[in-house]
Amino acid sequence: PDELLDVINARPNICNQVHMPAQSGSTTCLERMRRGYSREAYLDLVAHIRRRIPGVAISSDFITGFCEETNEEHEDTCSLMEAVGYDTAFLFAYSKRAKTHADRHLNDNVPEDVKVKRLQDINEIYRRKLEIKTQEEIGRVHLVLVDGPAKKVGTGMAGRTDTNRRVIMPDMPVPETYCPEVAANRQLAADMTAVNMKAGDYVAVQIISGTTATLHGRVLGKTTLQEFYSHHGACVVESNDHVLHSDISTES
């Protein structure tokens, strides 16, 4: 409902991300899956959500090689993934589950090697589109919620952006307060009192690099949700709209 979308858009303490499991990009395949919507309805809803929540991250689930899936239906799924460009996607090749409608009434006739190839196709599209999104993140300043030490020992601290992207940051003392004008001046930032980060802290992070799985950034200072939002009116700020646009190449 639009009321829920408007709450997500208006409240900075709600993650700016919506999970929209598509399963397939083909209306005929969706009918066999008994999903209750068409390709066109799904795309219309994606467009509506993006209008209602600017900058929203969209995640999804897909099953490839479903019962009786044709080449044309697979191409429909590929084109849907191209059209939407997901921020996160969980991709699977179909495997039979006992006591389901598909198990009882449909023919699992797509060869395993075809399922594997089709899974590779949609994974390639997903990763290629996400690589473009990742490059667009470079230079942006995000409000990040610290989770704690990264899983890989010695790689730093990990956290999540408002759009649920994973961020790795150096595990070192950071300025105790985030001020955009101070953060833009390395000398002033170095003169500020430094404190350690811990799980549950909010920090302002400028993205300096990234992969499809993880963003990497430098911490500009500890902050609060309210403080960051009062500075920028959002939980992310574009580098070209803000004073924090220099020196990111020196951080790699």
Side-chain angles (χ1 to χ4, degrees):
D2 285 350
E3 293 80 6
L4 175 60
L5 300 180
D6 291 343
V7 169
I8 295 172
N9 186 47
R11 300 289 183 89
N13 61 330
I14 299 177
C15 191
N16 198 23
Q17 189 241 359
V18 176
H19 186 64
M20 296 184 61
Q23 306 298 358
S24 174
S26 163
T27 296
T28 51
C29 194
L30 290 168
E31 289 171 353
R32 289 198 302 281
M33 290 177 169
R34 309 175 88 185
R35 295 296 296 179
Y37 53 84
S38 67
R39 169 194 176 92
E40 292 73 23
Y42 182 89
L43 287 171
D44 286 346
L45 183 56
V46 169
H48 179 73
I49 289 173
R50 284 177 164 163
R51 286 193 299 269
R52 212 83 186 189
I53 313 174
V56 67
I58 294 179
S59 58
S60 193
D61 306 318
F62 283 89
I63 297 173
T64 190
F66 187 71
C67 302
E68 305 172 22
E69 183 184 66
T70 66
N71 288 333
E72 291 75 15
E73 289 173 331
H74 171 62
E75 289 301 322
D76 282 345
T77 295
C78 291
S79 66
L80 182 100
M81 296 193 71
E82 290 276 8
V84 175
Y86 293 97
D87 297 87
T88 305
F90 303 95
L91 312 175
F92 306 94
Y94 174 74
S95 59
K96 188 181 294 187
R97 291 176 59 187
K99 300 181 181 180
T100 61
H101 174 78
D103 180 42
R104 292 188 177 113
H105 302 287
L106 299 178
N107 182 16
D108 181 17
N109 63 346
V110 179
E112 288 301 316
D113 61 328
V114 175
K115 290 179 182 179
V116 170
K117 176 59 169 62
R118 290 177 181 177
L119 181 60
Q120 291 172 343
D121 290 344
I122 62 174
N123 188 56
E124 188 279 327
I125 294 169
Y126 164 59
R127 293 180 65 85
R128 174 166 47 78
K129 301 289 284 188
L130 188 55
E131 284 173 359
I132 295 171
K133 287 177 176 286
T134 298
Q135 288 304 307
E136 292 171 347
E137 291 287 356
I138 307 303
R140 286 176 178 165
V141 178
H142 279 273
L143 178 68
V144 172
L145 178 61
V146 179
D147 289 333
K151 290 183 180 179
K152 187 176 181 180
V153 176
T155 57
M157 297 290 280
R160 295 276 172 175
T161 69
D162 182 50
T163 51
N164 205 29
R165 289 293 301 269
R166 183 169 178 264
V167 181
I168 300 297
M169 307 154 282
D171 185 7
M172 57 188 296
V174 301
E176 65 175 347
T177 302
Y178 168 61
C179 174
E181 290 71 24
V182 172
N185 185 308
R186 294 296 183 92
Q187 186 57 54
L188 289 177
D191 292 339
M192 293 187 69
T193 302
V195 296
N196 291 319
M197 293 181 286
K198 64 182 185 302
D201 284 342
Y202 281 108
V203 289
V205 178
Q206 185 170 40
I207 305 304
I208 59 174
S209 65
T211 66
T212 55
T214 305
L215 300 175
H216 296 265
R218 66 180 178 103
V219 181
L220 305 176
K222 284 186 65 175
T223 186
T224 65
L225 190 153
Q226 293 81 7
E227 180 182 63
F228 190 94
Y229 206 81
S230 70
H231 283 308
H232 305 302
C235 291
V236 58
V237 57
E238 298 286 347
S239 60
N240 59 355
D241 293 333
H242 189 260
V243 292
L244 298 168
H245 54 76
S246 61
D247 297 338
I248 62 173
S249 63
T250 68
E251 299 289 329
S252 56

